Amino acid sequence: MSLFRLIPDRPDVVQDQNKPDEKGTFREWLYITIFQATTTAGKLFDIGLFVLILSNIALLMLESVQGISATYAGLFKILDIVFLIIFSIEYLLRLYCVRSARQYASSFYGIIDLLAILPSYMEFFYPQWHVFMIVRSFRLLRIFRIFRMVRFLDESRVLMFALIRGFRKIIVFLFFVLLLAIFMGSLMYIVEFQHNDGFHSIPQSIYWAIVTITTVGYGDVAPVTAAGKIIASFIMILGYSIIAVPTGIMSASVIYEEKRNRGKPCPHCQATGHTADAVYCKSCGQKLKE
Amino acid sequence: MSLFRLIPDRPDVVQDQNKPDEKGTFREWLYITIFQATTTAGKLFDIGLFVLILSNIALLMLESVQGISATYAGLFKILDIVFLIIFSIEYLLRLYCVRSARQYASSFYGIIDLLAILPSYMEFFYPQWHVFMIVRSFRLLRIFRIFRMVRFLDESRVLMFALIRGFRKIIVFLFFVLLLAIFMGSLMYIVEFQHNDGFHSIPQSIYWAIVTITTVGYGDVAPVTAAGKIIASFIMILGYSIIAVPTGIMSASVIYEEKRNRGKPCPHCQATGHTADAVYCKSCGQKLKE
Amino acid sequence: MSLFRLIPDRPDVVQDQNKPDEKGTFREWLYITIFQATTTAGKLFDIGLFVLILSNIALLMLESVQGISATYAGLFKILDIVFLIIFSIEYLLRLYCVRSARQYASSFYGIIDLLAILPSYMEFFYPQWHVFMIVRSFRLLRIFRIFRMVRFLDESRVLMFALIRGFRKIIVFLFFVLLLAIFMGSLMYIVEFQHNDGFHSIPQSIYWAIVTITTVGYGDVAPVTAAGKIIASFIMILGYSIIAVPTGIMSASVIYEEKRNRGKPCPHCQATGHTADAVYCKSCGQKLKE
Amino acid sequence: MSLFRLIPDRPDVVQDQNKPDEKGTFREWLYITIFQATTTAGKLFDIGLFVLILSNIALLMLESVQGISATYAGLFKILDIVFLIIFSIEYLLRLYCVRSARQYASSFYGIIDLLAILPSYMEFFYPQWHVFMIVRSFRLLRIFRIFRMVRFLDESRVLMFALIRGFRKIIVFLFFVLLLAIFMGSLMYIVEFQHNDGFHSIPQSIYWAIVTITTVGYGDVAPVTAAGKIIASFIMILGYSIIAVPTGIMSASVIYEEKRNRGKPCPHCQATGHTADAVYCKSCGQKLKE
């Protein structure tokens, strides 16, 4: 399944392949510091980068608050430029210290690193384009890079494999939910639109149906007729029940993934995923335990 | 269980039985194009139909938006007629190219195909009947037909079998939820109706109880008395807990269905529960498939 | 565990023990008709009772709707009396035809049958007591009696056993949720009460915390300060995550109950609940299959 | 994993280690009464303490209700002092009767006992500090101590171990939810902020995204533009689906914990997975316990 290729491999394993050949040079020291977390310098670099990214995201948020942004407009502008310079230098250093700059630039993390600085340069030329603001929040994705330090990575890999296993079933389920919302929304439009401004069109009614099926229930649109309330009650109970479907799918997926991870590999062919009561390897047919 | 018969069989298998006998004729070519997706023409036909259905549904939605519908009233009328003609021709072609027109007309997809065009003809004679609008959204169901192209069909079959396995338990559960809503709604009516316009009758209070148990929570009706808030808190915690019941049922169902699908028993020792990638039986060590 | 005794035994088995001794008399025929559903008369009786109970509940609801109740006040009064007479006769007949009237009167269904008519008599003497209205909705519980006809009974027994197995864990969980609500409610009171009328006291804040943790979210009380919104976000994410706990408990319960039911009983000692791969009976130690 | 150390050990086992050496003295009698629940006096002490804690918490809540607090200000002040004296005496008695006062004072329950009385003394000196009010609600935590009486303790231990097993996966999941909320909030800010006062800044939009993803849906902020409603619908369906992830994790955890608890391996053949009521091994047919 091609989806499995979306999961980035463990960075400590993959990026080593891009380590420069020279030993003991500044370039190799730089590579170890920036890309690995085995030395003290490397750990300090990771922590510094983590703090920088978080404070940059906090800055982005504060800039959008009217009161604050008006008072400190000048300060924000300067800080924006400072962050841009730091992240640009970091990107250039990464390009410099890897064996193949092209391989890094086209890798998963390389693209993320570029997306973290590119929008700021674009804003320099087209300052009125607000859409760049959102692209800047791609910087958050860089936090995943820091995660190689901690052991959470394995957990997120198990979770992602479980998600991918249940993915197609959940897509089918969501398609049914969407059909249901279109259907129920159209029905509610017929019933309510003459008595209730909230159901003024079918798209609006479908929006209401999604708000209701997912049990969000803003209350900005709510039925007023008796018939509408009966249909709404039916939709709510339906939404309340069918939430069990994706949950069942995911439970089965996680249980399966955990079982698969649990088994010791076969001593003869290294195949994993044997069930707890297996006596013979399911791949090579030899005894699992002597 | 009769419910299992509701699941349409895989269309590529069933519809072949309705293939005309003549080989190499235009009628056979038409059958393969329309009902199968093995040839290039068949795939193009499926994609075209998919686009047509989606744009027709989008048209139906836009027609209900007041501002748009007033401006383009003439255009909408013409497009409605164009879509009706296309879908009518398609239905007639389907009737023509199958071996037995009656068998097709009375099949699951045959009825859906008819329901997709019939309401438009009815609206021609009774234009003020808004109810036909909703029947027209049956056209959405035709999208399932296109699904034979993709591999999602197997997934939806597993899901449906899991749903059917848990169906009776979920019905019993929903019946309890309904009883609970009637009970709690009546109780809240007694407590609140003198202080709160929102609880003006028992049916309205039951509507509120359903909104609360399902955790939708519009907020159009909310308790105002201290006693009402305490009872409401109790209902919320109850609703929050019992959502676990259908979820548990579905989890058990999906896990059971997946296990059932996963493996044929070993031909030598009849042991079951082999994982999907097993080559040798984990109990007797012999080959699973010759 | 004493809770298991709350589940009424299968009525067709238990009530037979209360069958009168005389054969072929009117009293025996009455018993079979009223308490069993094996004869045509018995089935008709059950269906009639089902219709009567439902229409009585519908009447109760309509009586609470102001507009309707004012117009048809006289009709409602007459119908109330008619239903009371019918249910009273039914209760007397039940008392008459069982072997031991006292045993029936003190059984689960006997008490429900009495509660279905008693409040109406009380209302006769104290017509202003609205609280009787809610007691009258106990009549709904009688519908369970009709369920012996259908096969849903087995399903509800499995569900109830699963609920009871997970009961103590869910009580512990709900206790934690309540502690969390009290804690978070107190915290939000400190933060918000000077800026927001909605958080005017700790009990009110706890009510808000329960509305939020259970993801109901009426919106009648919502945080307005920045600090309040941050705490509220934290509570929401917490509530969203911990809903997984009762669900996990119930999933484990249902899966366990289904497995337990699935096994064939031991041919030697009739013990059930053997796992799928059991070779020997876990109770008597003899081979399960010859 | 260090988290496991957070779970307090069974108090009846641990606290016995702190039992004074002298036999038959008043100090030993006091220890047994206060710390254990085996004697009648000990049970009475536990029940009395339970009632005191609950009534104290109720008092704290009532004090925050404006109307009541103004009328009974004097009474509340006296009751506060009475409770403080009782809890202080209890703390001193606990310190007196254990073998090592320091060991008790630094234990989990010792700190909780201190936190239950300390804030009241602080309020004596700084009466305007409202923050102490919340610290006083720590008293609730003392209720757990009473739980050693009942058998719920085992249940909560199983639950906590299941929570800890799934803890890291749920943290990773929550981190993804937070990233999603930041991303979707920023996106909605771009789309809505010119048409909707509710989305006046990115932090506010992130608050809205969390309200929506967790399906709480207050409705204090809701999209008004067509594009905003489409994005909101997408977020809702996403939130509705991904709630399945923590649920799947917890289901797997609870099922694993229950299996682990269910059975010691057979002493003859080491087979595991026996149900709780098994007397004979299901694999070799020999007695499980001698």
Side-chain angles (χ1 to χ4, degrees):
Chain A
M1 203 188 292
S2 63
L3 262 166
F4 280 94
R5 305 186 60 187
L6 276 177
I7 305 179
D9 289 295
R10 292 180 56 192
D12 49 333
V13 175
V14 171
Q15 290 175 351
D16 267 8
Q17 300 171 349
N18 211 358
K19 196 178 171 178
D21 284 331
E22 316 93 279
K23 302 272 169 221
T25 60
F26 171 72
R27 203 176 146 211
E28 200 214 5
W29 176 85
L30 206 65
Y31 179 87
I32 292 170
T33 304
I34 294 180
F35 280 97
Q36 294 178 336
T38 47
T39 60
T40 315
K43 278 171 191 167
L44 281 175
F45 179 85
D46 275 355
I47 291 164
L49 192 61
F50 188 72
V51 171
L52 274 176
I53 292 171
L54 283 192
S55 49
N56 186 240
I57 294 290
L59 185 78
L60 273 177
M61 286 183 193
L62 287 176
E63 267 180 75
S64 75
V65 183
Q66 225 108 55
I68 299 170
S69 126
T71 322
Y72 303 100
L75 180 69
F76 279 142
K77 207 151 209 171
I78 294 166
L79 283 174
D80 270 356
I81 293 169
V82 169
F83 274 115
L84 184 56
I85 292 170
I86 294 173
F87 288 141
S88 301
I89 291 172
E90 184 220 337
Y91 185 67
L92 292 175
L93 283 179
R94 280 183 193 272
L95 279 178
Y96 162 69
C97 73
V98 292
R99 195 197 295 170
S100 155
R102 188 189 296 174
Q103 193 185 319
Y104 160 70
S106 63
S107 72
F108 180 76
Y109 283 115
I111 292 163
I112 293 291
D113 288 343
L114 185 63
L115 279 175
I117 50 169
L118 209 65
S120 294
Y121 285 107
M122 305 287 266
E123 263 181 284
F124 193 73
F125 298 106
Y126 310 93
Q128 74 282 18
W129 278 30
H130 257 292
V131 83
F132 289 128
M133 216 160 204
I134 172 88
V135 188
R136 275 209 271 169
S137 62
F138 271 121
R139 282 178 194 163
L140 260 179
L141 291 179
R142 303 186 67 207
I143 286 176
F144 286 109
R145 183 193 277 282
I146 322 285
F147 267 5
R148 69 183 169 189
M149 285 194 303
V150 293
R151 288 177 51 203
F152 285 110
L153 196 78
D154 280 346
E155 304 293 331
S156 68
R157 287 177 69 82
V158 167
L159 263 186
M160 267 198 253
F161 276 110
L163 269 171
I164 285 167
R165 271 203 78 244
F167 183 75
R168 283 211 313 215
K169 282 205 199 68
I170 281 175
I171 287 292
V172 169
F173 167 74
L174 288 185
F175 187 77
F176 276 96
V177 168
L178 208 67
L179 279 189
L180 191 73
I182 292 174
F183 220 80
M184 288 297 179
S186 309
L187 187 60
M188 281 299 277
Y189 171 71
I190 307 279
V191 169
E192 286 271 329
F193 92 104
Q194 280 174 319
H195 313 280
N196 190 340
D197 270 357
F199 292 86
H200 55 69
S201 67
I202 290 187
Q204 170 81 2
S205 302
I206 291 171
Y207 165 71
W208 169 86
I210 291 173
V211 169
T212 301
I213 291 174
T214 58
T215 79
V216 171
Y218 286 134
D220 53 347
V221 187
V224 294
T225 64
K229 280 174 184 174
I230 292 170
I231 298 172
S233 299
F234 176 73
I235 299 176
M236 281 173 229
I237 290 181
L238 212 67
Y240 184 64
S241 307
I242 59 176
I243 204 174
V245 177
T247 304
I249 297 166
M250 279 311 297
S251 293
S253 271
V254 174
I255 290 168
Y256 179 83
E257 276 303 315
E258 290 213 332
K259 262 197 194 138
R260 219 172 54 111
N261 266 30
R262 209 173 290 150
K264 291 274 188 315
C266 167
H268 305 286
C269 71
Q270 312 305 328
T272 56
H274 306 291
T275 50
D277 57 339
V279 179
Y280 295 94
C281 173
K282 62 183 183 178
S283 293
C284 69
Q286 287 185 276
K287 277 227 167 199
L288 282 173
K289 286 156 207 148
E290 306 306 283
Chain B
M1 204 188 291
S2 63
L3 263 166
F4 279 93
R5 307 186 59 188
L6 276 177
I7 305 178
D9 290 294
R10 292 179 56 190
D12 50 333
V13 175
V14 171
Q15 289 174 352
D16 267 9
Q17 300 170 349
N18 211 357
K19 197 177 172 179
D21 282 332
E22 314 92 281
K23 302 270 170 222
T25 60
F26 171 73
R27 202 175 147 209
E28 201 215 4
W29 176 86
L30 207 64
Y31 179 87
I32 292 169
T33 305
I34 294 180
F35 282 97
Q36 294 178 337
T38 45
T39 59
T40 313
K43 279 170 190 167
L44 281 175
F45 179 85
D46 275 354
I47 291 163
L49 192 60
F50 188 73
V51 171
L52 273 176
I53 292 172
L54 282 192
S55 50
N56 186 238
I57 294 291
L59 186 76
L60 273 178
M61 287 183 192
L62 287 177
E63 266 180 75
S64 74
V65 183
Q66 224 108 55
I68 300 171
S69 128
T71 323
Y72 304 100
L75 180 69
F76 278 142
K77 206 152 209 170
I78 294 165
L79 282 175
D80 271 355
I81 293 170
V82 169
F83 274 115
L84 183 55
I85 292 170
I86 294 173
F87 287 141
S88 301
I89 291 172
E90 184 221 338
Y91 185 67
L92 291 176
L93 283 181
R94 280 183 193 272
L95 279 178
Y96 163 70
C97 72
V98 293
R99 195 197 295 172
S100 156
R102 188 187 296 174
Q103 193 185 316
Y104 160 71
S106 64
S107 73
F108 179 78
Y109 282 115
I111 292 164
I112 292 291
D113 288 343
L114 185 62
L115 280 174
I117 50 170
L118 209 64
S120 295
Y121 285 107
M122 305 288 266
E123 263 180 285
F124 193 73
F125 298 106
Y126 310 94
Q128 74 281 21
W129 279 29
H130 257 292
V131 84
F132 289 129
M133 217 160 202
I134 172 87
V135 190
R136 275 208 271 170
S137 62
F138 271 121
R139 282 179 195 163
L140 261 179
L141 291 179
R142 304 186 66 208
I143 286 175
F144 286 108
R145 184 193 276 283
I146 322 286
F147 267 6
R148 69 182 169 189
M149 286 194 302
V150 292
R151 288 177 52 202
F152 285 110
L153 197 76
D154 280 346
E155 304 294 332
S156 68
R157 286 176 71 82
V158 167
L159 263 187
M160 268 198 252
F161 276 110
L163 269 172
I164 285 168
R165 271 202 80 243
F167 183 75
R168 284 213 311 218
K169 281 206 199 68
I170 281 174
I171 288 291
V172 169
F173 167 75
L174 287 185
F175 187 77
F176 276 97
V177 168
L178 208 67
L179 279 189
L180 190 73
I182 291 175
F183 220 80
M184 288 297 181
S186 308
L187 186 62
M188 280 298 276
Y189 171 71
I190 308 279
V191 170
E192 287 270 329
F193 92 104
Q194 281 174 317
H195 313 279
N196 190 340
D197 270 357
F199 291 87
H200 56 69
S201 68
I202 290 187
Q204 170 80 2
S205 301
I206 292 170
Y207 164 71
W208 169 85
I210 292 174
V211 169
T212 301
I213 292 174
T214 57
T215 79
V216 171
Y218 286 134
D220 53 348
V221 187
V224 294
T225 65
K229 281 175 183 173
I230 292 170
I231 298 172
S233 299
F234 176 73
I235 300 176
M236 280 173 229
I237 290 182
L238 212 67
Y240 183 63
S241 307
I242 59 175
I243 205 173
V245 177
T247 305
I249 297 167
M250 279 311 298
S251 292
S253 271
V254 175
I255 290 168
Y256 179 83
E257 276 302 315
E258 290 213 334
K259 260 194 193 141
R260 220 174 52 114
N261 265 31
R262 207 173 291 150
K264 293 279 189 309
C266 166
H268 306 287
C269 71
Q270 313 304 326
T272 54
H274 307 289
T275 50
D277 55 341
V279 179
Y280 294 95
C281 173
K282 64 182 183 178
S283 293
C284 69
Q286 288 185 274
K287 277 228 167 196
L288 282 173
K289 284 158 208 147
E290 305 307 283
Chain C
M1 204 188 291
S2 63
L3 262 166
F4 279 94
R5 305 184 60 188
L6 276 177
I7 305 178
D9 290 294
R10 292 180 55 191
D12 50 333
V13 175
V14 170
Q15 289 175 352
D16 267 8
Q17 299 170 349
N18 211 357
K19 195 176 173 180
D21 284 332
E22 314 93 279
K23 302 269 169 220
T25 60
F26 172 72
R27 203 174 146 210
E28 200 216 3
W29 176 85
L30 206 65
Y31 179 86
I32 293 169
T33 304
I34 294 180
F35 281 97
Q36 294 177 337
T38 46
T39 60
T40 314
K43 278 170 190 166
L44 281 175
F45 179 85
D46 275 354
I47 291 164
L49 192 62
F50 188 74
V51 171
L52 274 176
I53 292 171
L54 283 192
S55 51
N56 185 239
I57 294 291
L59 186 76
L60 273 177
M61 287 183 192
L62 288 176
E63 268 181 75
S64 76
V65 182
Q66 225 109 55
I68 300 171
S69 128
T71 323
Y72 302 100
L75 180 68
F76 279 143
K77 207 152 208 171
I78 294 167
L79 283 175
D80 270 355
I81 294 169
V82 168
F83 274 115
L84 183 56
I85 292 171
I86 295 173
F87 287 142
S88 302
I89 292 173
E90 185 221 335
Y91 186 67
L92 292 176
L93 283 180
R94 281 183 193 270
L95 279 178
Y96 163 71
C97 73
V98 292
R99 196 197 294 171
S100 156
R102 188 187 296 173
Q103 194 186 317
Y104 161 70
S106 63
S107 72
F108 179 78
Y109 283 115
I111 291 163
I112 292 291
D113 289 343
L114 185 63
L115 279 174
I117 50 170
L118 210 65
S120 295
Y121 285 108
M122 305 286 266
E123 262 180 286
F124 194 73
F125 298 106
Y126 310 94
Q128 74 281 21
W129 279 29
H130 257 292
V131 83
F132 289 129
M133 217 159 200
I134 172 87
V135 188
R136 275 209 271 169
S137 63
F138 272 121
R139 282 180 194 160
L140 261 180
L141 290 179
R142 303 186 66 208
I143 286 175
F144 286 108
R145 185 194 276 283
I146 322 285
F147 267 4
R148 69 184 168 189
M149 287 194 302
V150 294
R151 287 177 52 201
F152 285 109
L153 197 77
D154 280 345
E155 303 294 331
S156 68
R157 287 175 69 81
V158 168
L159 263 187
M160 268 198 250
F161 277 110
L163 269 171
I164 285 168
R165 271 202 79 244
F167 183 75
R168 284 213 311 217
K169 280 207 200 67
I170 281 175
I171 288 291
V172 169
F173 167 75
L174 287 185
F175 187 76
F176 276 97
V177 168
L178 207 67
L179 279 188
L180 191 73
I182 292 175
F183 220 80
M184 288 297 181
S186 308
L187 187 62
M188 281 298 276
Y189 170 70
I190 307 279
V191 170
E192 287 270 329
F193 91 103
Q194 280 174 318
H195 314 279
N196 189 340
D197 270 356
F199 292 86
H200 55 70
S201 68
I202 291 187
Q204 170 79 2
S205 302
I206 292 170
Y207 165 72
W208 169 84
I210 291 174
V211 169
T212 301
I213 292 175
T214 57
T215 79
V216 171
Y218 285 135
D220 53 347
V221 187
V224 295
T225 65
K229 280 175 183 173
I230 291 170
I231 298 172
S233 299
F234 176 73
I235 300 176
M236 280 173 230
I237 289 181
L238 212 68
Y240 183 63
S241 307
I242 60 175
I243 205 173
V245 177
T247 305
I249 297 166
M250 279 309 299
S251 293
S253 271
V254 174
I255 290 168
Y256 179 83
E257 276 303 314
E258 290 213 333
K259 262 195 194 140
R260 218 173 55 111
N261 266 32
R262 211 173 288 151
K264 290 276 186 313
C266 166
H268 306 287
C269 72
Q270 312 305 327
T272 54
H274 306 290
T275 50
D277 57 338
V279 179
Y280 295 95
C281 173
K282 63 182 183 179
S283 293
C284 68
Q286 287 186 275
K287 278 227 166 196
L288 282 173
K289 284 156 208 149
E290 305 306 282
Chain D
M1 203 187 293
S2 63
L3 262 166
F4 279 94
R5 304 184 62 187
L6 276 177
I7 304 178
D9 290 294
R10 292 180 56 190
D12 49 333
V13 175
V14 171
Q15 290 175 351
D16 267 8
Q17 299 170 347
N18 210 358
K19 195 178 172 179
D21 284 331
E22 315 94 280
K23 300 272 168 218
T25 60
F26 172 74
R27 203 176 147 210
E28 200 216 4
W29 175 85
L30 206 66
Y31 180 86
I32 292 170
T33 304
I34 293 180
F35 281 97
Q36 293 178 338
T38 46
T39 61
T40 314
K43 278 171 190 166
L44 281 176
F45 178 85
D46 276 355
I47 291 163
L49 192 62
F50 188 73
V51 170
L52 274 176
I53 292 170
L54 282 192
S55 49
N56 186 241
I57 294 290
L59 185 77
L60 273 178
M61 286 183 191
L62 287 177
E63 267 181 76
S64 76
V65 182
Q66 225 107 55
I68 299 171
S69 129
T71 323
Y72 304 100
L75 181 69
F76 278 143
K77 207 151 209 171
I78 294 165
L79 283 175
D80 271 355
I81 294 170
V82 170
F83 273 115
L84 184 56
I85 292 171
I86 294 173
F87 287 142
S88 301
I89 292 173
E90 185 222 334
Y91 185 67
L92 292 175
L93 284 180
R94 281 183 193 270
L95 280 178
Y96 163 70
C97 72
V98 292
R99 195 196 295 171
S100 156
R102 188 188 297 172
Q103 193 185 317
Y104 161 69
S106 64
S107 72
F108 179 78
Y109 282 116
I111 292 163
I112 292 290
D113 289 344
L114 185 64
L115 279 174
I117 50 170
L118 210 66
S120 294
Y121 285 108
M122 306 286 266
E123 262 181 285
F124 193 74
F125 298 106
Y126 311 94
Q128 73 282 19
W129 279 29
H130 257 292
V131 82
F132 289 129
M133 216 159 201
I134 172 88
V135 188
R136 275 208 272 170
S137 63
F138 272 121
R139 281 178 196 163
L140 261 179
L141 290 180
R142 302 186 67 208
I143 286 176
F144 286 109
R145 183 193 277 283
I146 322 285
F147 267 5
R148 67 180 170 195
M149 287 194 302
V150 293
R151 287 177 52 202
F152 284 110
L153 197 77
D154 280 347
E155 303 294 331
S156 68
R157 287 176 69 82
V158 168
L159 263 186
M160 268 198 251
F161 277 108
L163 269 172
I164 285 167
R165 272 202 77 245
F167 183 75
R168 284 213 312 216
K169 281 205 199 69
I170 281 175
I171 287 291
V172 170
F173 167 75
L174 287 185
F175 187 77
F176 275 97
V177 168
L178 207 67
L179 280 189
L180 190 72
I182 291 174
F183 219 81
M184 287 298 179
S186 309
L187 187 61
M188 280 299 277
Y189 170 71
I190 307 280
V191 169
E192 286 270 328
F193 91 104
Q194 280 174 319
H195 314 279
N196 190 340
D197 269 356
F199 292 86
H200 55 70
S201 68
I202 290 187
Q204 170 80 1
S205 301
I206 292 170
Y207 165 72
W208 169 86
I210 291 174
V211 169
T212 301
I213 291 175
T214 58
T215 78
V216 171
Y218 286 134
D220 52 348
V221 187
V224 294
T225 65
K229 280 175 183 174
I230 291 170
I231 297 171
S233 299
F234 176 73
I235 299 176
M236 279 173 230
I237 290 181
L238 212 68
Y240 183 64
S241 307
I242 59 175
I243 205 173
V245 177
T247 305
I249 297 166
M250 279 310 297
S251 293
S253 270
V254 174
I255 290 169
Y256 178 84
E257 276 302 315
E258 290 214 331
K259 260 197 196 138
R260 219 173 55 112
N261 266 31
R262 207 173 292 149
K264 294 275 187 318
C266 168
H268 306 285
C269 71
Q270 312 305 327
T272 55
H274 306 291
T275 49
D277 56 339
V279 179
Y280 294 95
C281 173
K282 63 181 183 178
S283 294
C284 69
Q286 288 183 276
K287 276 226 167 199
L288 282 173
K289 285 156 207 148
E290 306 306 281

